Amino acid sequence: MIEQFFRPDSIEQALELKSHYKEQAVWFAGGSKLNAMPGRTDKRIAISLEDLSLDWADWDNGCLRIGLMSRLQTLRELNFIPDALYDALGFIDSRHLRNQSTLGGEIAACQEESVLIPVLLALDALLVFANGDTLPLEAWLASRDDQLLTEIVIHDPFRACATRRISRSHAGLSVVTAAVAVTNKGETRIAIDGVADIPVRLRDVEAQQLEGEALEHAVREAVFPRADIRGSADYKRYIAGVAVADLFADCQQMGEELA
């Protein structure tokens, strides 16, 4: 339960506070995850990032750079974000929630029903931290350290990329969220949430360069979801395979349209 709330006006102050309070403190972005189940925090100290000038998005030598505190609704209203990211932002139905939530907060929370992380994985998103370190999103998901994230960089934002969220009803729990991308070199990226504890890249499947039923089968064999209220393990495997094969076909069509 949060007992103290600090609002530093510089990254240096924020880092000093975290260094002082260590594990008792939590970074506070939009608050949509820390204030609600299942992500409600048990930390005593909140360090707000509101005044750190991290709410921005821009281009830099062909790269898309997005500040940690960019609100999801603000991002969705930009006319230069990738279509797949626009679609993923729309998977969050509540405009009120999109106005509160931040991109960095969504990444840091990494909740089981993440709808944004798969498309960021498919786009090879790179995370930049306050100390200047950089780390691919996929590598950060494996470590989940507590560094202060300041921005997200996408070096090839307009590669062919498609994403889909599968649920039993429009407002129901997400069964699977998947994203597929194809780079300019013809390399495939496949990312799925809902088949493991965290969103994952299916690198072994990517390397096989499959399509159609062969791709669908390979995905089913590569994932090991748990049965829960959203469906059985077999059902999730089946849905994951179908979703990825369909998304790959969408990417192929995008490539033909761009050719």
Side-chain angles (χ1 to χ4, degrees):
M1 179 179 178
I2 294 175
E3 299 173 0
Q4 289 182 275
F5 187 88
F6 292 97
R7 193 165 178 168
D9 57 12
S10 71
I11 289 177
E12 291 74 19
Q13 284 185 356
L15 293 175
E16 286 176 8
L17 285 165
K18 191 67 168 72
S19 177
H20 178 72
Y21 288 105
K22 296 182 170 53
E23 295 302 317
Q24 300 178 63
V26 63
W27 303 118
F28 191 99
S32 62
K33 299 295 187 294
L34 295 180
N35 287 329
M37 298 300 292
R40 187 187 297 275
T41 185
D42 59 358
K43 306 291 187 181
R44 293 194 310 106
I45 312 295
I47 304 172
S48 172
L49 309 177
E50 188 70 34
D51 294 336
L52 303 188
S53 300
L54 296 174
D55 183 3
W56 52 268
D58 205 354
W59 288 96
D60 180 12
N61 294 321
C63 299
L64 177 61
R65 308 180 76 100
I66 305 174
L68 155 78
M69 290 295 292
S70 297
R71 307 287 172 172
L72 303 187
Q73 181 60 34
T74 301
L75 284 177
R76 198 163 194 261
E77 292 172 353
L78 297 176
N79 59 10
F80 57 77
I81 66 168
D83 289 342
L85 181 54
Y86 175 88
D87 291 341
L89 291 165
F91 294 155
I92 301 172
D93 292 327
S94 168
R95 185 184 182 96
H96 172 75
L97 191 56
R98 293 199 302 268
N99 277 322
Q100 182 182 6
S101 302
T102 65
L103 184 60
E106 289 292 312
I107 292 173
C110 192
Q111 291 186 338
E112 189 174 355
E113 284 198 319
S114 173
V115 294
L116 291 178
I117 291 181
V119 74
L120 292 172
L121 283 171
L123 292 172
D124 289 320
L126 183 71
L127 307 186
V128 181
F129 300 93
N131 62 1
D133 288 348
T134 61
L135 196 65
L137 173 58
E138 183 183 15
W140 180 84
L141 289 171
S143 63
R144 303 281 291 279
D145 65 34
D146 203 19
Q147 291 189 72
L148 174 56
L149 173 65
T150 56
E151 64 179 281
I152 299 97
V153 181
I154 301 174
H155 287 282
D156 183 15
F158 290 107
R159 65 180 53 166
C161 183
T163 185
R164 189 167 300 167
R165 173 182 179 267
I166 309 297
S167 61
R168 292 182 179 273
S169 66
H170 176 71
L173 295 172
S174 173
V175 177
V176 165
T177 302
V180 175
V182 179
T183 72
N184 292 332
K185 297 179 180 180
E187 300 169 337
T188 305
R189 302 287 188 268
I190 301 171
I192 306 181
D193 186 38
V195 297
D197 292 335
I198 59 174
V200 293
R201 279 268 305 274
L202 302 185
R203 287 185 171 271
D204 290 343
V205 179
E206 293 171 358
Q208 297 178 56
Q209 293 292 299
L210 303 172
E211 57 183 278
E213 292 184 3
L215 176 57
E216 183 179 329
H217 177 76
V219 171
R220 288 203 304 266
E221 294 298 309
V223 299
F224 304 94
R226 297 190 306 267
D228 55 25
I229 61 172
R230 291 170 294 186
S232 67
D234 286 342
Y235 171 71
K236 291 181 181 181
R237 287 193 191 98
Y238 170 77
I239 289 297
V242 170
V244 168
D246 287 349
L247 290 170
F248 181 75
D250 290 345
C251 289
Q252 288 181 310
Q253 183 174 350
M254 291 178 200
E256 292 172 358
E257 293 173 351
L258 292 172

